[in-house]
Amino acid sequence: MGACTSEEKNRQLVRVGYRSTMNEGHNIDEIIAKAEKKNKTLKVGGALWFDPETNKVHQILEGEEFQVTALLDVIITDARHRAIVMEDMEMVDVRKFQEWGGMKLSESPLLKDCNHNANEPGFQREEKKEDA
């Protein structure tokens, strides 16, 4: 077998995950509705978790590498959120997220342990304090 052509490389499946904090004044339901239409057109699947108490977002995107990386370029420059941290990017053989969906959770298991300080430019883990 030879090396992949650029067209074959762009068709490889990729799954990425990131987290961020949504800036105040944006309607997450409208964002989810628009993203659902756009992602369906791009054939990008995934999921978005949003915690309305903390404005934390965790998103997974999955699809052809070209489509996902182009979408990430847009997301990274989107002024509706800040403190974007890329968590994972992997090539995959099989999709886990054929469709895309968003949900609002008051306590997402993916966001619960982030210990995000919205005043800092990124996510930070707080050290656990032992009782004296």
Side-chain angles (χ1 to χ4, degrees), residues 47-74:
L48 181 141
W49 294 267
F50 175 72
D51 183 336
E53 292 179 16
T54 63
N55 286 342
K56 292 180 190 174
V57 174
H58 183 111
Q59 184 165 13
I60 296 172
L61 298 169
E62 181 181 78
E64 292 182 358
E65 183 178 17
F66 176 77
Q67 298 291 359
V68 172
T69 55
L71 186 54
L72 279 173
D73 288 342
V74 172

Side-chain angles (χ1 to χ4, degrees), residues 21-24 26 31 73-84:
T21 300
M22 182 72 59
N23 290 322
E24 297 292 329
H26 298 286
I31 292 169
D73 288 342
V74 172
I75 290 169
I76 289 169
T77 60
D78 188 337
R80 294 176 293 187
H81 60 137
R82 65 186 184 282
I84 301 168

Side-chain angles (χ1 to χ4, degrees), residues 62-113:
E62 181 181 78
E64 292 182 358
E65 183 178 17
F66 176 77
Q67 298 291 359
V68 172
T69 55
L71 186 54
L72 279 173
D73 288 342
V74 172
I75 290 169
I76 289 169
T77 60
D78 188 337
R80 294 176 293 187
H81 60 137
R82 65 186 184 282
I84 301 168
V85 176
M86 296 301 298
E87 294 184 319
D88 189 33
M89 182 172 201
E90 62 182 333
M91 302 308 267
V92 296
D93 294 323
V94 178
R95 294 181 76 142
K96 290 184 179 178
F97 300 91
Q98 290 286 34
E99 301 291 324
W100 187 89
M103 47 191 130
K104 292 190 295 186
L105 302 175
S106 61
E107 192 172 295
S108 167
L110 292 172
L111 297 173
K112 184 178 174 185
D113 295 326

